[in-house]
């Protein structure tokens, strides 16, 4: 992979993190600037064919998760995947801690990603949760939350690897918020190639007359109408 770790870190650092934090507060998701070039996206999507890089493959229809397929990387992450995860964690950490404070929850996340991952492993969550997803025409992903145990980081990122509207149509990212004593609210995002969408793993703080409450959220993908859609999923806790 030609992309360097410091290059990824610079791109992540140039994002307007104040704006992104505000959008996460308002909507539970926020779209980053371009983090990967088209060539880098194609390189990462091409990793799907290298079975030795993955610990398992999931057929979503078999498990009634929707339709399509994804693969979990092993802990030996390709350099750009590891670099993205390492660069994003310290930027997301202040938001995670702020949310925990508002909701009156513990904030167990240390300053370093490696230390946090080690905490996950000591708690029995020791399987990599980084995923590469592939959808073809007619595929979709049911609404869900990526909660694999008690050790949970409240934000995650998905990066589009194909060009929306050219390589595929449909396949928009879905985020649905379950609101107390009200109808659910949905958000759709067309995931542009190389851009990341930050979104809440489980819930987000919502202001109420009595203070802050947790707005439960689930995410998924709408039906792909044509073409093929790849995406890279970055989760900041490991799986049991």
């Amino acid at each position: 992979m030609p992309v360097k770790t410091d290059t990824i870190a610079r791109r992540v650092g140039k994002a307007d993190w104040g704006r992104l934090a505000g959008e996460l507060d308002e909507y539970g998701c926020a779209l980053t600037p371009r983090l990967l070039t088209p060539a880098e996206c194609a390189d990462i999507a091409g990793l799907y064919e290298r079975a030795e890089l993955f610990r398992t493959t999931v057929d979503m229809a078999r498990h009634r998760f929707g339709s399509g397929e994804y693969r979990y990387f092993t802990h030996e992450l390709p350099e750009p995947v590891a670099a993205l995860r390492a660069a994003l964690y310290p930027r997301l950490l202040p938001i995670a801690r702020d949310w925990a404070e508002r909701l009156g929850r513990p904030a167990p996340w240390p300053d370093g990603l490696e230390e946090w991952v080690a905490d996950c492993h000591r708690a029995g969550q020791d399987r990599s949760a980084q995923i590469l997803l592939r959808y073809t025409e007619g595929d979709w992903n049911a609404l869900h939350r990526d909660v694999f145990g008690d050790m949970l980081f409240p934000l995650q990122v998905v990066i589009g690897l194909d060009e929306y509207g050219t390589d595929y149509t449909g396949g928009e990212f879905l985020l649905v918020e379950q609101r107390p004593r009200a109808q659910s609210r949905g958000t759709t995002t067309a995931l542009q190639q190389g851009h990341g969408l930050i979104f809440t793993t489980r819930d987000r703080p919502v202001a109420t007359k009595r203070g802050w409450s947790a707005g439960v959220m689930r995410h998924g993908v709408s039906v792909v109408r044509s073409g093929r859609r790849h995406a890279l999923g970055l989760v900041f806790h490991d799986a049991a």
Side-chain angles (χ1 to χ4, degrees), residues 197-220:
L197 184 71
I198 308 166
F199 62 99
T200 178
T201 301
R202 179 179 61 186
D203 52 29
R204 68 181 182 93
V206 177
T208 69
K209 293 180 179 179
R210 298 181 181 180
W212 295 98
S213 66
V216 175
M217 307 192 80
R218 290 177 170 80
H219 63 275

Side-chain angles (χ1 to χ4, degrees), residues 5-13 17 35 80-93 113 234 236:
T5 297
D6 57 349
T7 301
I8 293 289
R10 284 197 301 272
R11 292 173 188 167
V12 170
W17 285 96
L35 301 179
V81 179
L84 283 163
R85 197 168 178 237
L88 286 162
Y89 177 81
R91 301 289 180 171
L92 299 174
L93 185 58
L113 176 59
L234 301 172
F236 298 91

